[in-house]
Amino acid sequence: MDAKLEKLFSTLDSIKNFESRYGKVIRDAMDYVIDGERMGRTRLAEVEKAEKTIFGIKVEAYLRHEFRWKRGSKLDFYLIDIEFDSKATIGKTWMIPPEAIGEICLLTRINEDEMFFQAGLLRANPDMLTKGSNQDKKKSVSAVGKQHIKWLIPNGEIPT
């Protein structure tokens, strides 16, 4: 049992209107990156690779603002004496940087085709990650790791 992860899960799970507020964060980050009025785009699938990175950055920033979470000294967030990292994907997995290995990560995944999102916690221990890494030394959450995600929001609706 991971006491810190359980404590963080319990705290996040008790936030009033957590799912709807989180969904609004997702929508706002999507709208920011898509920038439909100026760019004529309607979906994240149309944005450039670098803009997908910006999506993750915006999710982090908007979560911090919406829930009034503090910035950690090493990781993205600090709440109830626990630091944790934010990772978002519009794909099927998350990329975990070296500084977040062994740490708790708040994982956000969106499925734009079906307009749903997921949010959960995972302790990104090496046995939850793939063996290989990319050029930035980031590792993906493995199939085993995905089975260990503790879902706060298993199937949230992205607002339109």
Side-chain angles (χ1 to χ4, degrees):
M1 173 156 153
D2 187 329
K4 282 189 174 184
L5 189 143
E6 293 299 328
K7 181 179 177 185
L8 181 59
F9 181 92
S10 204
T11 300
L12 297 179
D13 196 43
S14 70
I15 294 173
K16 187 173 183 178
N17 302 316
F18 185 66
E19 184 173 326
S20 62
R21 292 168 69 191
Y22 207 113
K24 184 180 179 327
V25 162
I26 299 295
R27 176 81 262 164
D28 289 348
M30 289 173 69
D31 290 345
Y32 178 89
V33 173
I34 292 168
D35 193 10
E37 190 174 310
R38 182 175 314 148
M39 303 298 289
R41 303 180 292 205
T42 58
R43 297 174 40 83
L44 281 174
E46 300 172 61
V47 305
E48 302 294 327
K49 182 179 178 184
E51 291 173 301
K52 290 176 183 175
T53 301
I54 292 168
F55 171 74
I57 293 166
K58 283 301 182 184
V59 167
E60 172 198 332
Y62 291 167
L63 284 171
R64 185 178 298 109
H65 176 76
E66 176 65 29
F67 296 109
R68 306 288 188 251
W69 295 338
K70 294 183 174 125
R71 184 182 303 276
S73 59
K74 175 182 169 188
L75 302 173
D76 296 327
F77 305 126
Y78 180 80
L79 180 69
I80 59 166
D81 293 328
I82 299 171
E83 280 198 60
F84 57 109
D85 217 33
S86 174
K87 295 295 153 221
T89 186
I90 62 173
K92 298 215 185 285
T93 195
W94 301 265
M95 298 303 292
I96 308 299
E99 67 272 13
I101 294 175
E103 304 293 344
I104 298 171
C105 293
L106 173 61
L107 304 176
T108 304
R109 176 180 173 260
I110 70 159
N111 181 319
E112 189 175 28
D113 292 332
E114 298 178 34
M115 290 304 285
F116 78 88
F117 74 98
Q118 298 172 300
L121 297 176
L122 176 72
R123 172 80 64 180
N125 288 329
D127 60 339
M128 299 291 148
L129 307 174
T130 56
K131 300 287 183 230
S133 60
N134 68 10
Q135 63 272 19
D136 297 331
K137 299 198 181 348
K138 292 181 180 179
K139 295 179 176 281
S140 298
V141 175
S142 68
V144 169
K146 290 175 188 174
Q147 293 174 351
H148 284 85
I149 296 169
K150 189 162 172 105
W151 294 111
L152 287 153
I153 305 169
N155 191 15
E157 187 176 322
I158 298 172
T160 53

